[in-house]
Amino acid sequence: LFLDEVGEIPPTTQVKLLRVLQEREFERVGGTKLISVDVRVIASTNRDLKAEIGSGRFREDFYYRLNVFPIVMPALSARKEAIGPLADYFARKFAAAFGKKFSGFTAEANEALLTYPWPGNIRELQNVIERAVILAAGPIDETHLNLDTFTVDAPNGDGLLSTTERETIEKVLKDVGGNRKEAARILGISLRTLQYRIKDYGLK
């Protein structure tokens, strides 16, 4: 069982998960019969759980039940040798998903990938590459990555947008068939912000 972003789980749910881990049993929603389970749990988080315990947002008993064999992963910026292979993997994955041909990265794009600090780690890299695949008609270059412009917060703090956002939004909307929720996810902004931008730019 993999618990992703365990630090985001509310305390009420932490209690239920703690019981499953301790007693190895649970009840289905609406059920009355206890069901025994035997699972191995892997949990991940980017939060400082000890600090979360101190603030009352994370249960101490749940923390120690999970923290049997901790593995600390260094930030992506500290593993530069992994950036290239990961970017290549994501590019091929999204090219296949969007029915596009992946023609590789230019030298400038590779340099930009290696020098960018990646505060959002692998998830940010994945999002940047997905957006670049949509925008590129050939090899992905540094302009498709938009790393310089995408480091500037949008006015409402909802996400990251480039100075050529109208063209970017229009392109992404077209490639996802007008699915605004999917476009907002790819652009890294909220659906509300996207809807505002669409109205502001007169897009359909």
Side-chain angles (χ1 to χ4, degrees), residues 6-199:
V6 70
E8 307 296 332
I9 297 175
T12 52
T13 305
Q14 293 174 31
V15 173
K16 296 176 182 178
L17 288 172
L18 178 61
R19 177 188 172 187
V20 174
L21 294 176
Q22 290 181 333
E23 307 297 334
R24 295 182 180 275
E25 57 186 21
F26 70 97
E27 293 178 5
R28 287 196 178 99
V29 175
T32 57
K33 182 180 178 181
L34 287 175
I35 300 174
S36 298
V37 292
D38 183 13
V39 296
R40 180 173 296 174
V41 176
I42 300 175
S44 70
T45 184
N46 61 0
R47 290 180 175 270
D48 182 343
L49 293 185
K50 288 188 176 181
E52 295 293 296
I53 291 172
S55 64
R57 289 188 293 266
F58 203 83
R59 293 179 60 95
E60 187 173 16
D61 49 1
F62 187 43
Y63 168 78
Y64 285 114
R65 194 66 188 85
L66 288 173
N67 196 37
V68 176
F69 193 86
I71 300 175
V72 179
M73 291 292 292
L76 183 59
S77 58
R79 295 179 288 136
K80 291 187 179 296
E81 72 282 356
I83 294 175
L86 283 170
D88 186 78
Y89 166 76
F90 288 136
R92 293 181 186 281
K93 171 185 174 181
F94 291 123
F98 292 121
K100 302 185 73 172
K101 181 180 179 181
F102 173 52
S103 303
F105 296 90
T106 65
E108 292 78 12
N110 282 321
E111 179 65 20
L113 289 170
L114 290 175
T115 55
Y116 184 69
W118 299 109
N121 288 301
I122 291 178
R123 284 181 177 168
E124 182 183 10
L125 173 64
Q126 179 177 344
N127 196 52
V128 165
I129 297 301
E130 182 176 6
R131 187 169 50 235
V133 168
I134 290 176
L135 296 175
I140 294 174
D141 62 33
E142 56 187 335
T143 62
H144 300 129
L145 298 174
N146 278 331
L147 292 177
D148 290 335
T149 53
F150 273 91
T151 58
V152 180
D153 285 329
N156 62 0
D158 265 328
L160 305 175
L161 289 170
S162 74
T163 54
T164 58
E165 61 184 29
R166 187 188 192 285
E167 291 81 3
T168 300
I169 290 172
E170 192 172 26
K171 172 67 174 174
V172 171
L173 281 170
K174 180 180 178 181
D175 279 60
V176 298
N179 188 323
R180 295 187 178 187
K181 185 176 181 180
E182 179 66 7
R185 184 190 67 79
I186 292 171
L187 290 165
I189 59 177
S190 71
L191 179 59
R192 184 177 63 178
T193 297
L194 175 61
Q195 290 171 334
Y196 174 81
R197 292 292 195 278
I198 290 173
K199 182 179 179 180

